Amino acid sequence: MSVFEHSEYDGHEHVAFYQDKTTGLKAIIAVHNSNLGSALGGCRMWPYGSDEEALRDVLRLSKGMTYKAAMAGLKQGGGKAVIIGNPRTEKTIEKMLSMGKFIDSLSGQYISAEDSGLTVDDLKVMSRQTKYVSGIHANYHINSEPADGNPAPSTAYGVYVGLKTSVEHVMKSDLKGVKVAIQGLGHVGTRLARHLHKKGVKLFVTDMHPENIEKAVTEFSATAVSPEDIYDLDVDVFAPCAMGAILNAKNIARLKVKVVAGAANNQLAKEECGQLLVDKGILYAPDYVLNAGGIIDIYHQSISSSDKELRDHIEKISDTLLEIYHRAKSQGLSTNIVANQIAEERFG
């Protein structure tokens, strides 16, 4: 099947495939849209089950970055890179150097940042081969964590801000005593859990790595849940913080929550799933609005800014969500469709 005929192809400007037989690197870079500026997006390493799965992910993720940048008020386009492989067992310095060469071959069409499976140190290795990486020389940070270039603290803070706003909008209450189910306890999910625990939230958690669950149980008094049961809990909020496309008709039918607000990209398996959530009376916080803290962080590292300006920019996620919620209600549309409309008005 041609890439142009792929169900996730959306007029992408550039899709590049790369294989280095010497290092074993297999990777894809997708540039979706650069109308507002150079395409920026994270590089993800994941043990995809097939090349088709990796292609689908990079096409969806790069499109999401275009919309995310527009909704965050940034003069940036959207792109993404994926490396096929298990980051825990297959990552090598040689592969990171080779990935740097791949990024450099696009001559600045795509600028890479950190994403799932990679670290700032990995980006620094890539930077030996290319200048087109971002987020490795940080000056500003959220929550007094070290300014090491990792955008996860800012992403998590933005998700926390948006989740809090969504709960207040629907439940007319603060977070104390609210029940939240978190799916995925990586760099962002764990930090989100910490924010929520400090506000008196009752947490229910799951992750593909048992040690992450054990840490949340110990540090945040969370209740451990199996991955299969996370959709069936009688809680207030479902926070997807792992892989995308998990909100399909089958899983949505199982949800008993009032709000879906999480860090994962591309949570809706299909756009029409947004209406399924509306039909169940569930408020959906569009993922690329909610998780924009990371790219906002990277943007502020590139300008003369401050910790306060970074925090203030991230907290504008609250205002953007309320604009979406009010417009969706007045137009009788799902929140994901309204968010898309606003973004397209900005980058189209």
Side-chain angles (χ1 to χ4, degrees), residues 17-96:
F17 300 82
Y18 186 80
Q19 182 173 13
D20 183 348
K21 293 184 178 180
T22 302
T23 64
L25 177 70
K26 291 178 66 177
I28 310 171
I29 293 176
V31 173
H32 176 253
N33 185 287
S34 59
N35 287 353
L36 292 179
S38 297
L40 174 72
C43 179
R44 166 175 296 186
M45 187 171 186
W46 192 259
Y48 294 102
S50 66
D51 296 348
E52 156 61 21
E53 186 180 332
L55 176 60
R56 179 177 297 276
D57 204 32
V58 78
L59 290 175
R60 285 171 61 89
L61 289 167
S62 56
K63 177 181 177 181
M65 289 303 298
T66 299
Y67 285 70
K68 184 186 298 188
M71 292 300 279
L74 304 177
K75 296 299 182 182
Q76 296 173 176
K80 208 77 174 183
V82 298
I83 298 172
I84 300 171
N86 188 324
R88 294 193 167 203
T89 59
E90 300 178 72
K91 187 195 301 181
T92 64
I93 289 177
E94 290 74 21
K95 283 183 180 178
M96 297 302 101

Side-chain angles (χ1 to χ4, degrees), residues 46 86-88 185 206-215:
W46 192 259
N86 188 324
R88 294 193 167 203
L185 293 166
T206 194
D207 190 85
M208 63 188 296
H209 301 296
E211 63 270 24
N212 292 347
I213 298 176
E214 293 170 8
K215 180 179 179 181

